[in-house]
Amino acid sequence: MPATLDGPDFVALQVRDVDAAAAFCEQHLGLRRAAASPPHGVVFDTEPTPFAVRELLPGVDLDETARPGLGAVIWFKASDAQELHDQLVAAGIKILAPLADSPFGPMFSFEGPEGYRLTAHGG
């Protein structure tokens, strides 16, 4: 039988400013840092898939793109999508798609660190 993939095992956003991106994730999204991270990034204790922000890889120039991650969709499960939405609005975070019902519960998209589009659902 040929080799197969089980699914994503790690997700990382490449960013210009790791400290600022990590602070955004902690302060606005409630993510907690994992016990260990590599020197070039910050890994968060997310389940089932670890999530991180990391330095840019060689050859990556975020200034040359209309929006970082264009074409990729990253969804996070929220304990309460409505409450998170309201918190982000109150903090002045740009909402990219309004809160709406979906097959996965209430969902909305917002501008994350350095312009990445992130989606939250659930609750």
Side-chain angles (χ1 to χ4, degrees):
M1 171 165 235
T4 63
L5 295 176
D6 291 330
D9 193 43
F10 187 81
V11 174
L13 299 181
Q14 295 181 59
V15 296
R16 295 174 201 88
D17 187 336
V18 172
D19 292 334
F24 179 96
C25 292
E26 291 172 312
Q27 294 169 7
H28 297 296
L29 307 181
L31 298 183
R32 294 177 317 276
R33 291 179 188 227
S37 290
H40 58 273
V42 174
V43 178
F44 296 97
D45 188 19
T46 54
E47 295 290 335
T49 304
F51 173 75
V53 292
R54 60 153 298 136
E55 293 175 355
L56 300 174
L57 291 168
V60 174
D61 184 350
L62 295 181
D63 295 325
E64 291 184 3
T65 181
R67 181 175 53 85
L70 184 62
V73 180
I74 301 174
W75 286 53
F76 288 87
K77 185 173 182 180
S79 59
D80 185 320
Q82 176 71 60
E83 184 177 340
L84 178 62
H85 173 273
D86 296 348
Q87 288 171 197
L88 294 177
V89 168
I93 305 302
K94 186 175 183 180
I95 303 300
L96 302 173
L99 191 67
D101 289 329
S102 80
F104 308 103
M107 57 83 61
F108 69 99
S109 296
F110 59 96
E111 187 171 275
E114 301 197 20
Y116 282 94
R117 181 185 190 108
L118 303 176
T119 299
H121 73 95

